[in-house]
Amino acid sequence: MKYFNVTVMERGQKRNELIKADSKIAAIKLAKYKLPTSVMVIKAAETSAPLEETISELFSGISKSFKSKIPINDKISTIRQIAVMTDAGIAINDTLEDVADNTHNKQLKEIYTKMNSDINAGNSMAHAMEPYTEEFGHVALAMTNLGERTGNISESYHKLADILENIRDNTAKFKKAIRTPLITLAAMGIAFTILIMVVVPKFKDIFDKFKTELPIPTQILLKMEWALSNYGILILASLIGMVIAVKYFYKNNRDFKLSMDRILIHPKFYLINKAIFLSTMHKYNLVFGELVKSGIPISEALDTAVGMVDNLAIKEQLLSVNANIGRGMSLAESFEITGLYENMLLQMIKAGEAGGQLDAMLDKVTQYYDMQFQDLIDNLAAYIEPILLFFIAGLVLLMALGIFMPMWDLGKAVKG
């Protein structure tokens, strides 16, 4: 959201109104809506946010960054419970009340209690869920809308639980695959730091007696030891601060997130780019295919599916699909323009559109991305092993050369 100074004329006097809106046109419309009809809106100019608003948003963003997420297993469990209870003919307000009473998650308990109050006040379930889109995701809202339109919340929520389980299983598998390499790297880093702090100082006095210039590996070790001894706490605090800052800006600054997401999917980022691309495309096509199969219009299904995409660089490319369909292009042509789909997949989607079997073809596209992602995860250890060996060999070589090269030089000097 941006801030605009909207200049208005009231009783022959000009004054400015500060309006928060997405664009200049939206600010003018909002000003006309909020102000009396006797007030004439002249123009709007973008301005910086007030200091108090900036500070408030900063603290809000920090608290949001460290706010605990609702575990996906808890969400799936309550969604399954809603599906089962509504299938048994229990009224939705009684269902939500029972789910709120039985869940151990405080956030979900509070959300379902508020949703139940909204429904009892006469609102639809989708309207009651809308404020919690961030917690549940766009697909939950879409499936709730579908369930209310078709009168079958139970079936919609069973499908929703299946989608979330699929996403959860793939995420868990990826985390499990990278856990061992990360632990190995962390252990090597800790071991190397301990060696520098304990071993290098014992040789430092010997090195100081050398009259000749020390080898480069030894100089590197001595400088690292000096930095860790004198500024170790500051270095650690800086690293922690950097992680916190990156995490904050990634969640709260769109430009920063877009830049980071573009870097992460760059071809130079070995394995990471492929893992992010395949998992994102699998999730996108899974949600899109399920929504189309459930009878949701393609335009609405595309909007919902793209809402599930976390990587902004990929999301920007996929956002063009709906706009191009609105211009009269086919789904296959719109996907082709994004450059994200292989020709084989485009041909399958094109055939599905022509033959009235789009949902079946989207299933095959989803299976293809899932197969590629599973293959990557299953062979991740083999892909990472050379990187780990290179990293470990580099640390060992630096330590060995840094300590023993001066010794060899000293031995040669004694023989000479």
Side-chain angles (χ1 to χ4, degrees), residues 57 91 412:
E57 286 181 6
K412 288 177 184 177

Coordinates of all heavy atoms in Angstrom, one line a residue, residues 57 91 412:
E57 N 4.4 0.0 11.3 CA 4.5 -1.1 10.3 C 5.8 -1.9 10.6 O 5.9 -3.1 10.4 CB 4.5 -0.5 8.9 CG 3.1 -0.1 8.5 CD 3.1 0.4 7.0 OE1 4.2 0.4 6.4 OE2 2.1 1.0 6.6
A91 N -24.7 -29.5 11.6 CA -24.7 -28.1 11.1 C -23.3 -27.5 11.3 O -22.6 -27.9 12.2 CB -25.7 -27.3 12.0
K412 N 63.9 -27.1 6.1 CA 64.8 -26.9 5.0 C 65.8 -25.9 5.4 O 67.0 -26.0 5.0 CB 64.0 -26.3 3.8 CG 63.1 -27.3 3.1 CD 62.3 -26.6 2.0 CE 61.4 -27.6 1.3 NZ 60.5 -27.0 0.3

